[in-house]
Amino acid sequence: FLNLFGMLVGETGEGRKGTGNNVAHRVMRLVDPQFMTENVAGGLSSGEGVIGRVADPKSPVGASVPMRDGRLHIAEEEAGTVFTRMKREGNSLSGVLRQAWDGRPLTTLTRKDDGGLVAKEPLISAIMQVTPDELRKGLGDIELVNGFMNRFVLAWTEQVRLLPFGRPFDEDRLRGPVGRLQGALRNLSGMGSTELGWTAEARALYADTIYPNLTPLPGRLAAMTARGASIIRRLAGIYCVSRGADSLALDDLHAAVAIWEYSIESIRYI
């Protein structure tokens, strides 16, 4: 699957986490305004809440109902609060998010009145924001070893120059990229479920160079960097379909590896 989890890590105010994320949201509102209105939400609290957002509609016995749109992008500006909630006894948020990253059906059997909730085909992505202190304090050993954190691409963010008044946002410069992304989305809507292929050059690069050199960071940091292969392939897949193709090429892999290497350096620095 091509859903991703990302975490922007930076100091309060100076990190410009929200500023950077808002730029991406502004672009995507031009690409797909309906998705940005209906399928983006924050305020993570419990696993049941996530499932409820993408759960399939209930139907009388024997009746058929259409599948619900199982796409959800979680835009969480206070990841430190999420870490606190995950530590509460009985909170299922960590487990549900791990299953969501894997693309598994999501279920809850805690609602005795109606037999629980089921999301058969969820597609959930997430971008969270957190300060380095909140990240270090909020993560317990459980989140490190249970595979929660190694599903995230981490990115250190910071202010790189002073712009007291900023600059006007020129949306005309985005017409080309936005148009290409809209075309790619139209192409994807007609593809259905498919497995992306590889060009011969990309397959050789991944098998001979990229995959053999994927080694997690040492010590406790290994638990945060153990899914490099999966994340690189997802990133490359996103680049691939964003240009309207169905086979991973060299440029897709080079771009994916660059982002993963920045994530590794961010984790080491934090």
Side-chain angles (χ1 to χ4, degrees), residues 94-199:
S94 175
V96 168
L97 289 178
R98 280 180 279 138
Q99 289 179 314
W101 189 89
D102 294 340
R104 298 180 185 177
L106 304 177
T107 62
T108 174
L109 302 178
T110 59
R111 293 164 58 101
K112 298 180 180 179
D113 56 332
D114 61 2
L117 298 172
V118 179
K120 295 186 180 69
E121 295 184 2
L123 188 66
I124 297 176
S125 60
I127 295 288
M128 300 187 186
Q129 301 176 35
V130 69
T131 68
D133 285 342
E134 287 175 329
L135 179 61
R136 287 187 288 258
K137 294 176 182 176
L139 278 181
D141 290 335
I142 293 178
E143 282 72 38
L144 284 176
V145 301
N146 68 5
F148 177 77
M149 277 309 301
N150 62 32
R151 285 169 166 83
F152 282 83
V153 180
L154 267 71
W156 175 259
T157 71
E158 62 184 24
Q159 183 180 9
V160 295
R161 55 184 165 180
L162 296 176
L163 295 173
F165 302 105
R167 282 197 296 260
F169 188 77
D170 185 5
E171 293 190 356
D172 288 341
R173 297 180 63 185
L174 292 175
R175 287 182 178 176
V178 166
R180 288 192 293 272
L181 284 173
Q182 289 174 330
L185 287 175
R186 288 192 294 270
N187 182 53
L188 284 171
S189 66
M191 287 176 63
S193 179
T194 186
E195 182 176 351
L196 296 177
W198 299 71
T199 65

Side-chain angles (χ1 to χ4, degrees), residues 197-208 210 247-251 253:
W198 299 71
T199 65
E201 297 83 0
R203 180 179 289 274
L205 175 67
Y206 184 81
D208 299 339
I210 296 175
S247 293
L248 276 64
L250 288 176
D251 284 349
L253 281 175

